[in-house]
Amino acid sequence: MPSSQNNLTPNKKGDAKDGRKSPMATFATTLANQIQPAVKSTWEEGVLFRRPKEWLTPLVNNEYHYKPLPTSSCIRLLRIEPGSPGERIRCSLHTVDLNARPKYIALSYSWRRDKSLSSWVSDIPKGMFKNMTKAVLGNSKRISQPNTDEGAETTQTILCDGKSMTVYPNLYNALLQFRQSAPGDYWIDAVCIHQADLVERTSQVQMMGRIYSSAETVTIWLGTCPQILSTGIAQLEESKDNLLRPGGREQKSDKQSLDNEVYLAAGYLLLRRYFRRLWVLQEACLGKVITFQLGEQRISPNTFLAAINLVSGGHSGSENDQILIRGLANFLRPWSGHISLIPAMLEGRENFHQGFKWSLEQWLKISRGRKTTDPRDFVNAGLALIKPETLYIDQSILLDVSPATRQSRLQGPDTKRKLWPRLHADYVAEAPEVFLNLAACLLSQPNETNLLSIASRPNDYKAVNYAINYSVIQDREKIRALLHVPSWVPIPGSLASQTADTFATQGGAHFAACTNLKSNPKISPDGKTLFMDASRLGTIEHVCTTKYLLPDDVNEMTDFLEFITKIPRKYSPSGQWGLSAFAHVLVGGVWGAEHPPPRETVTGLVTFLDDDVRKYTRKLDKDIKELQDTNIRNRLVNQGVRLMTKTNESIGSLQQKKERLQKAYADVKDAYPNQHWPDPKKKIGPEAAELKERFELSTTSALSWRNTFLTREGYLGLGPWSLAKGDVVMLVNGGYVPYAFTPVREDRRKRAEYIEERMQVRIKAVKVLPVEEREFLESELAYVRSDVRSGDDWVLVGETYVQGVMMGEAVNDTTALERIAIV
């Protein structure tokens, strides 16, 4: 019998003689199957006809030019004309007076597009939720789309009054949808405001609260809807009432794939970049009526509440459902801060319609971590939502120019700054000027010292990393200006400002470290120095790294235990045992909404220490045993890079780690023999395990981006992660919490060292620095070296928690105060 190989000779149709496809035919069929859906979709959407016309539009049609608005109450409206998919988008702009109460729809949207569905799916970590996603979506090629990941740099062309106008892709997609489903008059910021005219832009932004509140409807555009998710989104919309009821939906084991699609739809909706935007707070809160739209699908506000309820486990379901929920919840965890504000935004709209407004401090807290391309918008976007009385600036906080002041604080007689009478939108003013007036406005509030908590941005000089990544020198210059902003001036939106909630906002009602002393802050005439009254508590001597959470490896655990042994056994500031005081510090003085009960807190810490020491000891014993076994050792070595760290350690080094860990733990136990330490021969009891879990949960927010410290004077506390030996902790008059400062000369030395280090790292990486980057780093280094200040000046590091002083225990009639200069 002839072999099968002899039967594979291609026939005229490209098939093998036995009827099987040849490799070429198989490839062609596969390619056709892959591109057919895309070609069909492209044909149906009219792209093949529309796109060539759009490419020719800038060549044939002149560019659109704006005409000035006639009065301060006028706005432009964009009339979207109906059109077929193959035609270019046609619109027109006309001017109306808001006083005439025109009818229009205001569009709320993100200038940038979201990630494509394929990119979104690729971000999901391995696990059951990932497997379920693959099961629902099938082959990844079914969800392949152009990679739209947050790109706003490309533009599309439309016709406006017969002229060529460019818009970003997300708005372009919205216009495509609305010309078919809802043509009419719209107010759209990117088009209706002449963005290049800073005066007009400033005036229109000041009106935006009125513009959105006057619109008949605010339509919130969430982007296009992937076809493969449309069913799940429709089902989520249909089942929203059921999902919002206590107990949630019934189990539907026979329709599990249907439910899986709903899970995917919920996750996809909640991760729309729209909800991370800064301006959304104003646009959604002030609209009379709001509607959400994802592609062709309209979505009610309650659907988002149902989605949150679904992923938070607030409904009944099978065991399989609960596993999927946990997987989805873990995937969404990095965005939990934004997601948690969605209910407050939707449910609080009625309060705003009745006249409710936030204070300036509340606005800054709510807007933390949100996205905007212009940092000045952290002021501008909240103006319509902030109580007007909290926007005024007390002019008396600016020092008069006296000969003595000019000599010590100014370069010359023309450096006096003028404060604004109140905060307002101003795109002509640069960001440093806006933020200086923001600081002055906060100093004009009753709790003026909270400015220092809001302004805290540890190691902000590392923002030079971002500057060298910009290819446009103008952007670098803007970043350079922000690098030179004084440490006491807030920079909302900076990375350092987003790392942790402030103690003042976490437990402000519970803390009163120095509130019984009146504050009298003053700003120097040049706007560079803040003068405040303060009392020194102590100088940092020891710092223990707990930057993220509790220790998570054996070396960190040993350092943690050794730090505990440095704490005085009797902690005099609070009269507690040192271990109990340390337990209170680790939870930031707040267990839930109250001060932690001493016994429960220290029991949680003790159980945590014992459990982790047992865990690391078992791990070290296992590693030592593996290395002692020749066969196991050889097998580990043969497995290569994956186990390289383990095979590089000798048995002796592992034994030294174990001995050091056990000695440190024994020293802690010996220092506190009366503490109820767990029996090493028994398992941890359920009550102790519960207290341990509660203790670890309470440390989550307190230890986020913070380290523990001990001063030479014996004060124990928490401070910013950049805290260093030699920094000084002070009580500032009027402050809820103490603050840490570093001498200005030490700060400038660190800045210079860091820039020099960055230059060496970059030279090593790219051999020759680009000219612009080298000039930027050299000029920044020269600035830092030349910025010589008085040896008595201080740089704000950030707020601290100090056990035993948070309720004013360290302040009395004999407290020594000094006037400090913060730069």
Side-chain angles (χ1 to χ4, degrees):
M1 175 180 280
S3 68
S4 60
Q5 291 180 344
N6 293 332
N7 274 336
L8 293 180
T9 305
N11 58 26
K12 291 182 179 180
K13 295 181 180 181
D15 295 341
K17 287 182 178 180
D18 63 353
R20 288 183 293 171
K21 297 282 186 181
S22 70
M24 181 61 71
T26 301
F27 170 77
T29 302
T30 302
L31 181 62
N33 290 336
Q34 289 178 4
I35 67 173
Q36 183 178 354
V39 171
K40 181 181 178 182
S41 175
T42 301
W43 179 273
E44 292 174 349
E45 293 172 2
V47 175
L48 295 177
F49 293 102
R50 185 177 69 248
R51 194 54 54 83
K53 299 175 186 177
E54 293 173 346
W55 290 336
L56 292 173
T57 297
L59 302 177
V60 178
N61 302 81
N62 294 328
E63 183 181 356
Y64 183 86
H65 292 285
Y66 287 88
K67 296 178 181 179
L69 292 168
T71 68
S72 60
S73 59
C74 284
I75 62 172
R76 298 184 187 92
L77 293 180
L78 182 73
R79 179 161 296 165
I80 303 174
E81 299 176 7
S84 61
E87 293 297 321
R88 290 175 293 182
I89 296 175
R90 295 179 181 273
C91 305
S92 61
L93 278 173
H94 60 283
T95 301
V96 297
D97 194 318
L98 272 182
N99 294 331
R101 298 184 178 181
K103 294 183 178 181
Y104 61 93
I105 297 170
L107 186 65
S108 179
Y109 68 108
S110 169
W111 279 32
R112 298 190 176 196
R113 289 181 291 187
D114 281 280
K115 287 187 174 183
S116 61
L117 181 59
S118 55
S119 296
W120 183 78
V121 171
S122 67
D123 289 340
I124 301 175
K126 292 181 179 180
M128 191 167 181
F129 180 60
K130 180 79 166 184
N131 296 335
M132 179 270 288
T133 303
K134 290 182 177 179
V136 173
L137 301 180
N139 192 311
S140 62
K141 292 183 175 58
R142 290 179 62 203
I143 59 172
S144 62
Q145 301 169 249
N147 193 346
T148 60
D149 296 357
E150 307 183 6
E153 62 282 352
T154 60
T155 57
Q156 304 285 357
T157 303
I158 66 172
L159 280 175
C160 183
D161 290 322
K163 306 292 185 179
S164 170
M165 177 182 285
T166 57
V167 296
Y168 286 136
N170 195 38
L171 175 55
Y172 177 82
N173 291 333
L175 296 176
L176 283 175
Q177 175 59 43
F178 295 144
R179 74 169 177 177
Q180 296 185 60
S181 60
D185 288 350
Y186 286 77
W187 188 87
I188 304 173
D189 58 351
V191 176
C192 296
I193 299 176
H194 186 193
Q195 298 290 333
D197 185 340
L198 297 183
V199 175
E200 178 184 307
R201 185 178 167 195
T202 296
S203 174
Q204 291 281 289
V205 166
Q206 290 174 345
M207 295 172 60
M208 281 181 67
R210 185 182 175 193
I211 291 172
Y212 277 94
S213 61
S214 299
E216 286 190 306
T217 302
V218 173
T219 296
I220 295 171
W221 173 254
L222 299 176
T224 56
C225 179
Q227 187 175 0
I228 201 168
L229 288 184
S230 59
T231 301
I233 290 172
Q235 291 169 0
L236 181 63
E237 176 73 17
E238 292 172 2
S239 57
K240 62 181 181 298
D241 294 334
N242 192 24
L243 288 171
L244 288 172
R245 283 201 299 266
R249 64 179 178 83
E250 301 173 355
Q251 298 181 22
K252 301 179 182 178
S253 58
D254 60 327
K255 297 183 179 179
Q256 191 59 55
S257 62
L258 187 69
D259 290 337
N260 287 346
E261 291 176 2
V262 173
Y263 286 119
L264 279 180
Y268 190 79
L269 281 179
L270 295 178
L271 285 187
R272 298 305 81 208
R273 100 176 343 260
Y274 175 83
F275 293 111
R276 288 176 280 162
R277 286 184 60 236
L278 178 64
W279 282 97
V280 62
L281 295 170
Q282 174 177 268
E283 296 164 2
C285 287
L286 296 182
K288 298 173 187 174
V289 178
I290 62 171
T291 61
F292 292 88
Q293 187 142 348
L294 183 72
E296 297 177 356
Q297 305 219 32
R298 288 213 167 187
I299 303 170
S300 66
N302 278 349
T303 302
F304 292 92
L305 302 180
I308 294 172
N309 198 42
L310 180 71
V311 302
S312 62
H315 69 283
S316 62
S318 66
E319 182 179 349
N320 184 65
D321 289 343
Q322 297 303 319
I323 295 174
L324 293 177
I325 290 169
R326 287 195 292 272
L328 180 56
N330 287 333
F331 174 53
L332 297 176
R333 193 178 304 279
W335 297 272
S336 60
H338 303 295
I339 293 172
S340 66
L341 287 175
I342 295 176
M345 179 184 73
L346 296 178
E347 296 171 352
R349 285 171 20 83
E350 187 61 33
N351 293 331
F352 282 99
H353 295 162
Q354 295 176 2
F356 171 82
K357 290 181 181 292
W358 288 311
S359 69
L360 177 59
E361 281 190 40
Q362 288 172 324
W363 162 256
L364 292 173
K365 178 184 177 182
I366 290 167
S367 62
R368 285 179 71 247
R370 291 192 169 270
K371 303 294 184 182
T372 181
T373 55
D374 192 327
R376 294 171 292 188
D377 285 340
F378 279 95
V379 172
N380 302 337
L383 294 175
L385 303 175
I386 299 173
K387 298 175 183 176
E389 62 268 25
T390 67
L391 296 176
Y392 288 97
I393 298 175
D394 181 2
Q395 301 297 307
S396 68
I397 63 176
L398 189 66
L399 280 174
D400 292 330
V401 181
S402 64
T405 305
R406 181 178 296 130
Q407 182 178 4
S408 60
R409 298 291 170 191
L410 304 178
Q411 300 296 323
D414 299 324
T415 55
K416 183 175 180 179
R417 305 295 292 269
K418 184 177 180 181
L419 297 177
W420 298 347
R422 66 194 305 272
L423 275 186
H424 60 274
D426 188 344
Y427 286 103
V428 177
E430 295 294 338
E433 181 180 355
V434 174
F435 296 149
L436 171 63
N437 283 277
L438 172 62
C441 191
L442 288 167
L443 287 173
S444 304
Q445 310 296 318
N447 302 323
E448 62 269 34
T449 310
N450 280 356
L451 165 68
L452 300 183
S453 295
I454 296 169
S456 298
R457 49 181 193 277
N459 281 13
D460 67 317
Y461 54 86
K462 291 191 176 182
V464 72
N465 285 342
Y466 301 101
I468 64 176
N469 290 330
Y470 279 79
S471 58
V472 182
I473 193 65
Q474 288 85 352
D475 291 332
R476 286 186 181 149
E477 291 304 316
K478 290 180 180 179
I479 292 178
R480 184 204 302 278
L482 291 178
L483 285 174
H484 300 167
V485 167
S487 64
W488 53 272
V489 173
I491 303 182
S494 65
L495 179 63
S497 72
Q498 303 173 28
T499 52
D501 285 334
T502 63
F503 283 128
T505 56
Q506 286 178 354
H510 304 285
F511 302 144
C514 201
T515 54
N516 59 336
L517 294 181
K518 184 175 176 56
S519 177
N520 184 30
K522 295 290 182 181
I523 299 174
S524 65
D526 62 357
K528 295 181 179 180
T529 306
L530 175 65
F531 299 95
M532 303 189 85
D533 295 317
S535 173
R536 302 192 191 198
L537 269 181
T539 304
I540 305 289
E541 182 65 24
H542 302 288
V543 177
C544 180
T545 301
T546 48
K547 178 178 175 180
Y548 300 106
L549 291 172
L550 294 168
D552 61 358
D553 67 39
V554 63
N555 292 324
E556 285 187 5
M557 188 67 205
T558 306
D559 293 341
F560 192 70
L561 292 166
E562 290 175 345
F563 179 83
I564 295 175
T565 62
K566 296 181 174 73
I567 302 170
R569 289 187 66 246
K570 192 67 175 178
Y571 185 69
S572 57
S574 62
Q576 299 170 281
W577 291 107
L579 191 65
S580 181
F582 189 52
H584 279 66
V585 166
L586 292 173
V587 298
V590 179
W591 184 305
E594 302 175 353
H595 289 291
R599 187 185 71 82
E600 285 87 343
T601 312
V602 75
T603 301
L605 171 60
V606 163
T607 310
F608 162 77
L609 294 176
D610 185 81
D611 189 52
D612 266 34
V613 169
R614 292 189 196 190
K615 177 179 70 176
Y616 291 124
T617 300
R618 287 194 300 268
K619 184 178 184 304
L620 287 168
D621 285 339
K622 179 183 176 183
D623 291 346
I624 291 171
K625 184 177 179 180
E626 287 179 344
L627 292 179
Q628 286 174 334
D629 189 313
T630 304
N631 293 330
I632 295 178
R633 180 182 177 85
N634 290 338
R635 187 173 74 247
L636 294 177
V637 172
N638 292 333
Q639 290 179 6
V641 177
R642 187 172 64 87
L643 296 174
M644 189 62 69
T645 54
K646 181 178 287 187
T647 58
N648 277 348
E649 288 197 274
S650 66
I651 295 175
S653 67
L654 292 175
Q655 288 175 334
Q656 288 177 356
K657 284 185 178 182
K658 178 181 175 182
E659 291 170 2
R660 183 179 165 226
L661 173 68
Q662 292 181 331
K663 181 181 183 303
Y665 186 44
D667 289 344
V668 172
K669 294 171 71 174
D670 289 344
Y672 303 97
N674 296 327
Q675 182 60 50
H676 296 292
W677 295 95
D679 188 338
K681 298 179 181 179
K682 297 181 180 179
K683 289 186 177 180
I684 296 173
E687 181 182 356
E690 181 183 350
L691 288 173
K692 169 182 175 288
E693 182 178 355
R694 192 176 170 198
F695 169 77
E696 290 179 324
L697 185 63
S698 297
T699 65
T700 302
S701 58
L703 294 182
S704 177
W705 294 90
R706 294 190 178 100
N707 288 336
T708 52
F709 66 84
L710 185 66
T711 71
R712 298 170 190 168
E713 296 76 9
Y715 284 105
L716 179 66
L718 274 178
W721 59 272
S722 60
L723 206 65
K725 182 177 179 179
D727 289 344
V728 177
V729 180
M730 302 188 197
L731 291 170
V732 179
N733 282 22
Y736 285 109
V737 298
Y739 295 92
F741 300 89
T742 192
V744 65
R745 290 177 179 172
E746 178 65 13
D747 174 79
R748 299 305 187 252
R749 183 188 65 80
K750 289 180 181 178
R751 286 174 181 265
E753 283 185 356
Y754 183 78
I755 296 171
E756 290 173 339
E757 177 187 328
R758 281 299 307 168
M759 291 178 70
Q760 294 303 316
V761 168
R762 290 288 294 155
I763 290 172
K764 186 176 181 181
V766 300
K767 306 304 181 186
V768 179
L769 283 178
V771 175
E772 288 183 352
E773 183 177 330
R774 177 175 54 79
E775 290 177 350
F776 173 82
L777 290 171
E778 288 177 349
S779 62
E780 185 62 22
L781 183 60
Y783 170 83
V784 171
R785 287 174 172 168
S786 65
D787 187 26
V788 179
R789 305 276 183 140
S790 166
D792 297 329
D793 289 351
W794 299 93
V795 171
L796 173 67
V797 179
E799 58 176 13
T800 67
Y801 172 92
V802 180
Q803 182 65 11
V805 309
M806 302 303 291
M807 299 306 296
E809 300 92 332
V811 178
N812 52 50
D813 294 338
T814 62
T815 300
L817 297 174
E818 60 180 300
R819 193 72 167 166
I820 63 170
I822 310 169
V823 297

